[in-house]
Amino acid sequence: MDGTTKKHVSRSLAHIVLIVASFFFLIPFIWMVSTSLKPLDQVFTFPPEWIPKPVQWSNYIDAMNYIPFFTYLKNTVLITIFSTLGAVLSCPIVAYSFAKLKWPGRNILFIITIGVMMIPGQVTMIPLFLLFEKLGLVGTPYPLIIPAFFGIPFYIFLLRQFFMGLPDSLREAAKIDGAGEFRIYWQIMLPLAKPAVLAVGLFQFMASWTDFIGPLLYLTDSVQYTLSLGLQQFQSQKGSEWGLMMAVSTMMTVPVIILFFFLQKTFIKGITFSGIK
Amino acid sequence: MKSNPVNQTSTQNVPISTRRKNIVANLAEYKYGILFALPWILGLIIFYAIPLFSSIYFSFTTYSILQPGEFIGLQNYKDLFHDTLFWKSVYNTVYFAIFFVPLSIIFGVALAMMLNMKVKGMAIYRTIFFLPTLVPHVALAVLWMWLLNPGFGLVNGLLNMIGIEGPAWLGSETWSKPSLILMSLWGIGQAVVIYLAGLGDIPEDYYDAADVDGANWFQKTIHITLPLLTPVIFFNLVMGIIGAFQQFTLPYTLTQGQGTPANSLTFYVMYLYDNGFKFFKMGYASAMAWILFIIIMALTAIVFITSKRWVHYQGK
Amino acid sequence: MKKKGKFGFLTFVLLMSFSLIIAGCSSNSSSSEGKENDGKTTVTFWHSMTDVTGEAVDEVIKAFEEKHPDIKINAVYTANQGEGQNEKLLTAVSGGNPPDVAYFDRFEIGSWAAQGSLEDLTELAEASGVTKDMYYPFAWEEASYDGKLYGLPTSTDSRLVYFNVDHFEEVGLDPNNPPKTIAELEAAAEKLTIKEGSRFQRIGFIPWFGQGWLYGWGWAFGGEFFNPETNTATANDPKVVEALQWMADYAQKYDVEDIAGFTDSQGTGAMDPFLTGQLSMKVSGPWEVSAIKKFKPDLNYGVFPMPTPTGENHTTWSGGWSVVIPKGAKNKEAAWEFLKFFSGEEGQKIFSGISRDFSVIDSVNEELGYKEDPILKEFVEILPVSHHRPVMTQGSLYWNELASAVENATRGNGTPEELLTKVTDKVNKELNK
């Protein structure tokens, strides 16, 4: 009796907190969408008008004509899908190796892995560019895709943490059954790390989708440009076309929102080990 | 691994064929370990080794991107020591990190726990909290400048309603960094997703068992949730430190590279960037990069060493 | 069995990836062969122009190609070019594969030339009969370094004080007799300012806002920033110090933090306080005219030259763009033809006519009617006495340091004398390296 009322009270409290917090978190997004539907002179009025009067849908049409929207979209999709694929294929198996397998040099290599993230990209950008130039890959989207297939330290670290949380007993039991290392990884460990792997996929999707400096440096023909480069074209010396820019920004965020909405169910799915012992 | 007291007799009693099997098994594990890690080992060598070693070399020269420059030994490092703007950028960055990292962990975990409740509509809430991370930086910068405008911004408008006269936020030397911390906390959606994935890995069985024992919400959090979340908290702590110290895009866009007001928003990597790309001092910038590396490495090492005390991996 | 299946899948993926890589390498090497088709030379041109300016340059290119049927211009929009953010151009030049022509901030020519990254155009200019007296003197000077020419100017501007005529009339100031001296400016600003507690309803003037960079005021006060003979920065020139002191005093009088609310916007577009009527006077350039037309066409305004302490020797400074040939460009001669055209009378007329940026050729400005428009006329007529920022290898550093000095001075973090001496020392140290 008392227990359930307590539960209800704490639930409602949490709801109230969530609703209030949601309001704050929604503001940037609402502003972006609202601005995307306004004519330029109404963007910065005070007091702020969250609902545009009138609603200017034409911003979206104009934006798609201002820049080669669909070409940029196609390029962005291709680059993003491949680099995400690369990350999701390479990082889990490397992370598993760091987490569960013992081999000489493992710990030092792991420290190096984290260490390379501590150098700001601004100084490694140029030598890396020169390297790609020697490989003849400047002017193509490959520098934006290939490295993902070799592993990305951020995700390797993340997945390693997850794999370490999986019981060693699972591995030992499988070994007794005569399973090989790869099979243990592929059939037992990897499925259990699904929430984390999906998170990696989502993050890499976002990172690649919104990457600016990579496409800036490596794409030399506007036919290859991505949406993030296109966004810059709305900024000119005489002031930015905020309405159009926010329209493109909104369109850019929609796919990621959809992706997130569908993936998030798997994040919270609980797992039970009850069958394994 | 915990060390076992060496017991000569026990090893001697193990039959030779089993010992050989163990060695073979270990070798097999080594082989697979390296094989699985091979893509990354290659990646490190190809994509990281050359740029990293190059940048160390550059830090000892007057490299300007356009010119190879001359070798000047430790001169860049010595000059940095005397560079007042360098120290200002260090101060700004440390200030930011000290406040932002703990806050982001506390809020992140709290938020994730709330979003983990099995209640209808949670999917929508989770998406809402993730949204700010999707808004492009340019848009965020403008939005915040507008919201925090001391004259007609929403924030001061709301404060006014409850009788407080808000500060000049981004226009004030004292309040500019707190404004930036506030803006950065907006973006904890990504960390929250990681916490959610971590929460998802905690078996229901533990909670069920605790319920049977009559534990309340608070006890469950302290004894089950938090300890089992420590691997991801550890991750977010390390990445948070790295990220905070490398803070660049948002303040750069906000102040158009100037770090206004009065260099209070000149962060370390901003100054590094200017040196490398604006002032033709990429050698100097490289020296800055490696000093930053040492600072972050030292902090991370501390976190790692203390992690043995507070991080619990389920698997062990 | 199952094991083989998994291994098989993995191998398949690896194979796919490898073939992607190989395909990439081979296809790129074939496309990087000379871009010559049917005997035409293709000139790659990187620029960051969008909107109206982008249209203008497209027209210039069209006209050029008509005149030179054997040359094709491959114009590529490149984000972040100019004003110190040149990542793409920097990497391209250092990699030895730059574009043939780049749209370049004239201010940066000195420092890039010193690094040996721009082609020397002196001989090409002489041979083609392109000379200094075709242009405004500051434009040619800014495009030269160490006696040699490194770029051809294509556009320019100047700075004046815009003022709100309605506000002037409201407080009893004569819009036909705007401030000429600093003292008059201060008096006008005081009359125009409406402050309630610590909140400004309207500010008369903010010296450092808009285009109120220290360069402008330093020159207005009669100071000099650079000694070309000794190649030293002279930021602590007594007149420059005086100018900064004036700005610091102004900041103290009106309380700089209260002002900060107005100066913190991205500064362009409809958010500008001059357009919203919260600022009565503002230093800005000719581009403001089209901004006003776009966002607040009913604004009643005028312009006057930046006041000086004596009320005489009004001056200004100009920036602008240019076209350069980066070192290592493959098609120099064809590139030069384009430079000549863009910077020549015909190209200038097309470009300036559409973009409404001033031309660097006085006769073109006259032809396009800028001297008839009451506002633009003021901007054009002051050009002959305009300054340009010092041509030196540390242009960007100097600019940044001066901006910081203004920031710190107005916030009381040090005296103008101290701050400017620090700037002088820092910049000179770098210059002497």
Side-chain angles (χ1 to χ4, degrees):
Chain A
M1 232 42 90
D2 224 47
T4 11
T5 352
K6 254 200 200 158
K7 221 177 182 182
H8 280 299
V9 168
S10 59
R11 277 273 159 88
S12 335
L13 211 70
H15 263 283
I16 294 174
V17 173
L18 274 175
I19 291 176
V20 172
S22 302
F23 175 69
F24 287 120
F25 274 77
L26 267 176
I27 289 182
F29 191 74
I30 295 180
W31 184 81
M32 185 175 80
V33 178
S34 155
T35 305
S36 75
L37 295 169
K38 282 186 188 159
L40 202 45
D41 54 357
Q42 283 186 24
V43 171
F44 295 111
T45 50
F46 181 74
E49 295 198 12
W50 297 101
I51 306 174
K53 309 189 247 264
V55 171
Q56 191 164 288
W57 294 101
S58 59
N59 277 347
Y60 282 85
I61 318 257
D62 292 340
M64 292 197 268
N65 290 329
Y66 201 89
I67 55 172
F69 183 79
F70 289 103
T71 312
Y72 290 0
L73 178 67
K74 176 194 86 178
N75 294 333
T76 316
V77 167
L78 280 174
I79 294 177
T80 301
I81 287 189
F82 277 109
S83 88
T84 306
L85 186 70
V88 165
L89 282 175
S90 64
C91 297
I93 197 168
V94 175
Y96 175 72
S97 170
F98 276 125
K100 290 299 188 192
L101 299 177
K102 291 181 219 44
W103 39 283
R106 179 191 75 170
N107 291 335
I108 296 183
L109 201 66
F110 184 62
I111 294 176
I112 294 178
T113 305
I114 303 193
V116 300
M117 290 193 277
M118 300 179 191
I119 303 288
Q122 284 83 353
V123 293
T124 49
M125 202 159 108
I126 309 274
L128 189 61
F129 176 85
L130 294 175
L131 176 71
F132 278 116
E133 245 219 341
K134 291 224 168 54
L135 292 175
L137 293 176
V138 172
T140 74
Y142 292 109
L144 306 172
I145 299 174
I146 294 176
F149 281 88
F150 287 86
I152 296 175
F154 183 90
Y155 307 130
I156 294 176
F157 183 17
L158 177 63
L159 287 166
R160 181 253 197 191
Q161 295 305 99
F162 273 86
F163 279 120
M164 288 194 68
L166 297 179
D168 284 342
S169 52
L170 283 173
R171 205 166 146 253
E172 280 149 38
K175 273 187 137 169
I176 293 175
D177 285 346
E181 291 289 0
F182 187 75
R183 190 149 153 231
I184 298 177
Y185 165 71
W186 191 262
Q187 291 190 313
I188 303 176
M189 295 298 188
L190 188 57
L192 288 175
K194 204 160 96 164
V197 176
L198 285 174
V200 165
L202 176 72
F203 292 154
Q204 180 57 17
F205 189 90
M206 277 169 62
S208 180
W209 190 252
T210 54
D211 185 18
F212 174 73
I213 198 81
L216 176 71
L217 284 183
Y218 293 108
L219 302 177
T220 51
D221 196 327
S222 49
V223 168
Q224 307 165 311
Y225 283 2
T226 60
L227 285 173
S228 53
L229 284 184
L231 214 55
Q232 286 295 104
Q233 285 179 265
F234 291 106
Q235 293 183 296
S236 69
Q237 288 181 298
K238 296 185 174 60
S240 313
E241 291 277 358
W242 293 114
L244 301 187
M245 210 158 110
M246 292 306 136
V248 176
S249 301
T250 308
M251 289 193 280
M252 272 179 82
T253 58
V254 166
V256 192
I257 297 177
I258 295 176
L259 190 68
F260 177 77
F261 196 79
F262 284 112
L263 279 185
Q264 51 150 318
K265 292 184 195 148
T266 35
F267 292 153
I268 54 100
K269 213 192 261 183
I271 48 175
T272 55
F273 291 118
S274 47
I276 296 180
K277 283 256 155 81
Chain B
M1 296 303 284
K2 299 198 180 68
S3 53
N4 289 318
V6 174
N7 191 334
Q8 293 291 351
T9 34
S10 67
T11 345
Q12 281 171 342
N13 283 342
V14 173
I16 294 180
S17 56
T18 327
R19 254 192 292 159
R20 197 171 284 148
K21 259 207 206 142
N22 286 343
I23 296 173
V24 168
N26 281 341
L27 273 177
E29 195 174 318
Y30 290 175
K31 204 175 66 183
Y32 277 101
I34 297 181
L35 186 68
F36 286 2
L38 198 59
W40 172 234
I41 296 175
L42 286 175
L44 257 181
I45 297 174
I46 304 175
F47 302 115
Y48 287 90
I50 299 178
L52 287 172
F53 286 125
S54 306
S55 72
I56 298 184
Y57 174 67
F58 292 150
S59 76
F60 298 124
T61 68
T62 54
Y63 179 62
S64 69
I65 303 182
L66 297 172
Q67 292 285 341
E70 317 167 320
F71 189 81
I72 52 168
L74 291 171
Q75 191 58 41
N76 280 332
Y77 293 91
K78 289 196 207 144
D79 288 339
L80 277 172
F81 198 75
H82 296 290
D83 186 343
T84 31
L85 194 52
F86 168 73
W87 289 111
K88 184 100 214 241
S89 71
V90 171
Y91 169 75
N92 288 335
T93 311
V94 171
Y95 180 118
F96 177 80
I98 287 182
F99 287 103
F100 176 71
V101 177
L103 283 175
S104 71
I105 293 186
I106 296 172
F107 283 121
V109 175
L111 204 55
M113 293 206 305
M114 281 200 283
L115 292 174
N116 201 33
M117 299 191 304
K118 287 169 190 51
V119 171
K120 270 210 179 119
M122 220 19 113
I124 299 177
Y125 277 124
R126 282 187 217 117
T127 317
I128 289 178
F129 285 101
F130 193 62
L131 284 179
T133 60
L134 301 176
V135 180
H137 282 285
V138 185
L140 273 182
V142 180
L143 168 67
W144 275 104
M145 278 198 273
W146 186 61
L147 283 177
L148 290 175
N149 189 301
F152 50 80
L154 206 60
V155 175
N156 274 9
L158 289 173
L159 286 174
N160 236 352
M161 288 204 291
I162 49 175
I164 305 178
E165 204 185 304
W169 296 115
L170 288 167
S172 156
E173 271 183 273
T174 15
W175 289 96
S176 57
K177 282 188 279 289
S179 307
L180 196 71
I181 294 174
L182 188 64
M183 286 157 70
S184 304
L185 282 176
W186 225 258
I188 53 172
Q190 212 183 41
V192 168
V193 166
I194 295 178
Y195 290 127
L196 279 174
L199 287 170
D201 255 1
I202 300 177
E204 270 306 299
D205 305 358
Y206 294 160
Y207 291 116
D208 293 339
D211 278 336
V212 164
D213 285 345
N216 64 22
W217 170 86
F218 189 70
Q219 288 168 320
K220 280 196 271 190
T221 307
I222 300 277
H223 293 288
I224 304 176
T225 316
L226 285 180
L228 291 177
L229 260 187
T230 46
V232 271
I233 294 181
F234 173 70
F235 172 81
N236 275 326
L237 179 61
V238 172
M239 294 315 302
I241 292 175
I242 296 179
F245 274 90
Q246 292 185 353
Q247 180 72 232
F248 173 73
T249 317
L250 198 54
Y252 202 86
T253 322
L254 269 175
T255 63
Q256 284 162 301
Q258 300 291 323
T260 50
N263 291 128
S264 61
L265 285 182
T266 303
F267 283 86
Y268 196 91
V269 178
M270 280 171 66
Y271 189 45
L272 188 158
Y273 175 85
D274 275 353
N275 274 305
F277 288 93
K278 271 194 188 175
F279 306 151
F280 296 111
K281 290 168 76 181
M282 189 47 115
Y284 198 65
S286 303
M288 280 185 77
W290 284 93
I291 293 179
L292 185 68
F293 171 80
I294 294 173
I295 296 176
I296 300 181
M297 192 44 123
L299 286 170
T300 311
I302 296 175
V303 173
F304 260 82
I305 294 172
T306 57
S307 76
K308 292 197 179 36
R309 290 246 201 99
W310 57 274
V311 181
H312 308 273
Y313 294 107
Q314 273 188 71
K316 298 271 174 253
Chain C
M1 276 176 10
K2 268 192 189 167
K3 200 177 184 175
K4 279 212 187 115
K6 298 305 173 189
F7 258 109
F9 178 69
L10 198 69
T11 335
F12 167 75
V13 170
L14 279 170
L15 267 176
M16 236 192 45
S17 326
F18 264 94
S19 46
L20 251 178
I21 299 172
I22 296 171
C25 288
S26 53
S27 70
N28 189 63
S29 46
S30 55
S31 65
S32 59
E33 301 286 326
K35 278 187 172 195
E36 309 206 357
N37 29 34
D38 32 280
K40 276 195 194 182
T41 327
T42 309
V43 168
T44 4
F45 172 43
W46 285 8
H47 69 86
S48 51
M49 292 181 269
T50 60
D51 201 23
V52 181
T53 337
E55 281 167 33
V57 77
D58 284 339
E59 287 299 314
V60 172
I61 293 175
K62 231 198 295 190
F64 173 78
E65 285 179 340
E66 255 165 60
K67 238 187 166 174
H68 294 259
D70 55 334
I71 304 180
K72 174 138 180 47
I73 305 282
N74 179 20
V76 183
Y77 167 74
T78 308
N80 286 7
Q81 201 152 291
E83 295 173 342
Q85 281 192 295
N86 291 303
E87 297 106 342
K88 198 172 165 100
L89 194 59
L90 276 170
T91 44
V93 173
S94 82
N97 227 350
D100 299 304
V101 180
Y103 193 59
F104 206 71
D105 189 342
R106 210 161 55 227
F107 167 57
E108 302 187 289
I109 288 184
S111 34
W112 281 62
Q115 296 276 337
S117 304
L118 299 177
E119 291 284 350
D120 181 353
L121 306 173
T122 327
E123 281 168 19
L124 284 165
E126 265 170 36
S128 306
V130 172
T131 55
K132 177 170 176 168
D133 50 21
M134 283 166 60
Y135 304 101
Y136 291 113
F138 62 80
W140 184 271
E141 280 161 24
E142 207 176 12
S144 313
Y145 177 75
D146 209 20
K148 308 200 191 72
L149 182 71
Y150 286 97
L152 283 185
T154 54
S155 71
T156 191
D157 52 37
S158 54
R159 282 133 190 87
L160 298 174
V161 182
Y162 283 76
F163 71 99
N164 189 320
V165 172
D166 292 334
H167 292 180
F168 263 50
E169 287 173 353
E170 192 189 302
V171 300
L173 290 165
D174 181 6
N176 295 319
N177 201 8
K180 290 202 185 47
T181 66
I182 295 285
E184 283 167 13
L185 180 63
E186 284 183 319
E190 207 175 324
K191 275 209 181 124
L192 291 159
T193 305
I194 306 173
K195 194 175 185 187
E196 286 157 6
S198 66
R199 206 56 87 65
F200 282 98
Q201 230 200 27
R202 184 169 78 200
I203 304 186
F205 184 59
I206 306 173
W208 55 87
F209 183 67
Q211 288 294 313
W213 304 103
L214 188 57
Y215 275 119
W217 294 112
W219 278 313
F221 273 64
E224 279 304 334
F225 286 89
F226 184 68
N227 185 338
E229 270 146 55
T230 57
N231 198 41
T232 43
T234 58
N236 52 1
D237 174 318
K239 293 270 165 62
V240 178
V241 175
E242 206 185 305
L244 188 55
Q245 185 66 55
W246 170 66
M247 289 163 87
D249 293 338
Y250 197 99
Q252 231 209 3
K253 176 172 172 181
Y254 288 97
D255 199 327
V256 67
E257 280 218 1
D258 296 337
I259 297 180
F262 282 78
T263 55
D264 255 3
S265 47
Q266 275 214 316
T268 52
M271 217 156 127
D272 190 298
F274 183 69
L275 296 179
T276 57
Q278 289 164 304
L279 183 63
S280 306
M281 299 187 277
K282 172 188 168 187
V283 180
S284 188
W287 55 81
E288 196 78 34
V289 173
S290 21
I292 293 176
K293 233 186 267 192
K294 197 172 185 180
F295 299 117
K296 198 143 177 84
D298 56 353
L299 187 70
N300 194 0
Y301 70 101
V303 292
F304 59 88
M306 288 167 73
T308 64
T310 56
E312 286 172 10
N313 295 332
H314 291 126
T315 182
T316 186
W317 62 273
S318 303
W321 292 84
S322 60
V323 273
V324 297
I325 303 181
K327 223 339 93 57
K330 307 243 168 10
N331 301 301
K332 271 174 67 177
E333 285 81 30
W336 172 248
E337 290 300 316
F338 182 61
L339 256 66
K340 243 193 328 174
F341 184 79
F342 196 170
S343 179
E345 229 183 281
E346 204 185 324
Q348 284 288 289
K349 217 163 116 181
I350 300 173
F351 188 69
S352 179
I354 301 178
S355 70
R356 309 310 282 177
D357 284 336
F358 289 150
S359 166
V360 280
I361 299 178
D362 198 57
S363 57
V364 173
N365 284 331
E366 189 160 348
E367 245 186 280
L368 289 172
Y370 294 137
K371 294 193 183 177
E372 271 113 55
D373 178 301
I375 301 285
L376 293 177
K377 152 170 126 135
E378 303 293 324
F379 283 98
V380 179
E381 299 201 329
I382 200 168
L383 283 175
V385 298
S386 178
H387 286 87
H388 65 81
R389 286 162 289 178
V391 175
M392 42 150 49
T393 57
Q394 296 297 327
S396 286
L397 178 67
Y398 204 10
W399 175 270
N400 265 41
E401 287 294 315
L402 287 174
S404 290
V406 171
E407 272 285 310
N408 283 309
T410 52
R411 286 178 186 267
N413 297 339
T415 70
E417 171 89 48
E418 283 167 5
L419 292 165
L420 288 172
T421 308
K422 255 199 236 160
V423 172
T424 312
D425 291 339
K426 186 164 183 183
V427 176
N428 282 331
K429 192 165 137 215
E430 295 298 326
L431 283 173
N432 291 330
K433 279 202 181 149

